[in-house]
Amino acid sequence: RAHDVFDNLCVRDLVSWNALLVGYTNNCQHSILYKALECFEQMIQECIFPNHVTFMLILKVCGLLCDIEIATEMHILICGNGFLQDEFNISVGNTLVEMYVNCGMLSQAYKVFQDLRSRDIVSWNSLIGGYVKYGYAQEALICFQKMRDITPNLITFIWILKACCTTEDCGKGQEIHVEVSKQGLVERDIVLGTTLVDMYAKCGLFKKAQEVFKALPGEDIVSWNAIMAAYVQVGQARKIFRLFRQMMAEGVDATS
């Protein structure tokens, strides 16, 4: 219906094209995402030049489709038209980094990151998250150490704790625990708390894992699984069964 209305507009400007692209971009079905690329091509043919919003939408599509060929073309077009040099350079640059991360091209993501005129917490989180996602936990920790002038946020801490899980760096994990506790984040975010449980379990600090679990604001199936996995590692099968019965008694859906 949105496209029907769009087709019947007397005048189609950049705002209307971007509105249509937003609709296609918000759907993760590949067939619909490719329609966004078709719209982009048609827009160019009608001599409507894209702005930073358009490019950010198309870069998101390229990342979701993992279409490296089109992604590279968009990158060239963006650089050629100065979109990494204007006032919106951080937003477009961050989207480029995220796109290359989603395509699994971490070296290219790092190159874009390095070339950014300025970086914010989104820039760092995209790169750190990419390293953790693809198994380069040590690189993620190195990036975290380089964040001198940028204050980490909740997402940063979650990614770094995941990196600590992989490297079994309990020292760095405990440092993060102290920091997030000072900020009151553990009590407010179940995902962060669950990641802490998992980190302590992977490091073999089962008492600490249990302490964090008991202090969580509201346990979900992921946090229950994390604490039960901790007991699996030490072979305490009876404790796992007791936890499972407790979880069921508290109404947590084991099938979710």
Side-chain angles (χ1 to χ4, degrees), residues 8 19 42 49 52 55 58 68 78 85 125 143 169 172 179 183 200 203 208 216 218 232 236 245:
N8 289 314
Q42 185 182 349
F49 193 77
H52 70 285
F55 279 121
I58 295 302
I68 297 172
I78 286 168
Q85 305 300 321
N125 283 348
C143 277
D169 188 343
K172 175 60 68 176
E179 183 59 35
Q183 298 183 30
Y200 279 124
C203 291
K208 291 291 294 184
L216 291 180
V232 167
Q236 294 190 26
R245 286 193 294 269

Side-chain angles (χ1 to χ4, degrees), residues 115-133:
D115 291 341
L116 291 178
R117 290 173 59 190
S118 56
R119 303 165 192 151
D120 60 9
I121 188 62
V122 177
S123 319
W124 286 97
N125 283 348
S126 294
L127 189 62
I128 289 171
Y131 280 135
V132 176
K133 179 180 178 182

Side-chain angles (χ1 to χ4, degrees), residues 3-252:
H3 208 138
D4 288 342
V5 172
F6 175 83
D7 285 338
N8 289 314
L9 291 176
C10 296
V11 178
R12 297 186 296 206
D13 61 6
L14 183 56
V15 176
S16 51
W17 279 103
N18 282 347
L20 187 63
L21 287 172
V22 167
Y24 283 127
T25 306
N26 285 337
N27 192 303
C28 290
Q29 294 181 36
H30 279 205
S31 59
I32 294 179
L33 289 171
Y34 276 111
K35 285 186 178 293
L37 297 179
E38 292 173 8
C39 283
F40 181 77
E41 291 180 8
Q42 185 182 349
M43 184 182 79
I44 298 298
Q45 291 170 4
E46 295 187 13
C47 298
I48 303 294
F49 193 77
N51 64 0
H52 70 285
V53 174
T54 320
F55 279 121
M56 288 170 67
L57 291 168
I58 295 302
L59 289 173
K60 179 182 176 182
V61 170
C62 293
L64 290 170
L65 292 173
C66 294
D67 194 319
I68 297 172
E69 182 178 350
I70 298 177
T72 304
E73 291 177 6
M74 289 301 110
H75 189 176
I76 293 171
L77 191 58
I78 286 168
C79 291
N81 287 279
F83 277 92
L84 293 180
Q85 305 300 321
D86 67 8
E87 60 185 304
F88 302 109
N89 70 86
I90 293 182
S91 298
V92 177
N94 287 347
T95 311
L96 258 176
V97 172
E98 184 180 4
M99 179 200 68
Y100 279 123
V101 165
N102 288 336
C103 290
M105 301 176 66
L106 294 183
S107 59
Q108 191 63 31
Y110 181 73
K111 185 177 185 306
V112 173
F113 176 85
Q114 287 286 84
D115 291 341
L116 291 178
R117 290 173 59 190
S118 56
R119 303 165 192 151
D120 60 9
I121 188 62
V122 177
S123 319
W124 286 97
N125 283 348
S126 294
L127 189 62
I128 289 171
Y131 280 135
V132 176
K133 179 180 178 182
Y134 290 100
Y136 298 97
Q138 197 60 51
E139 284 78 359
L141 292 170
I142 292 171
C143 277
F144 182 69
Q145 291 174 350
K146 293 179 179 178
M147 285 178 59
R148 297 184 180 90
D149 301 323
I150 303 292
T151 302
N153 64 6
L154 179 66
I155 295 172
T156 320
F157 289 131
I158 290 173
W159 281 125
I160 292 303
L161 285 172
K162 286 180 181 292
C164 292
C165 286
T166 303
T167 60
E168 297 184 7
D169 188 343
C170 58
K172 175 60 68 176
Q174 286 178 312
E175 287 179 21
I176 300 299
H177 188 182
V178 170
E179 183 59 35
V180 295
S181 295
K182 286 180 181 177
Q183 298 183 30
L185 295 175
V186 181
E187 293 78 12
R188 299 202 302 266
D189 191 87
I190 187 69
V191 177
L192 177 65
T194 299
T195 310
L196 266 172
V197 171
D198 192 40
M199 184 273 298
Y200 279 124
K202 294 282 174 56
C203 291
L205 302 174
F206 304 107
K207 288 185 177 180
K208 291 291 294 184
Q210 191 174 33
E211 287 174 11
V212 175
F213 177 77
K214 288 180 178 179
L216 291 180
E219 302 91 352
D220 60 5
I221 186 62
V222 179
S223 54
W224 279 98
N225 285 346
I227 192 64
M228 284 191 278
Y231 284 108
V232 167
Q233 293 183 52
V234 292
Q236 294 190 26
R238 292 184 179 180
K239 181 65 175 179
I240 294 169
F241 286 122
R242 285 200 297 272
L243 284 170
F244 182 76
R245 286 193 294 269
Q246 182 183 346
M247 182 185 77
M248 298 300 289
E250 294 184 12
V252 178

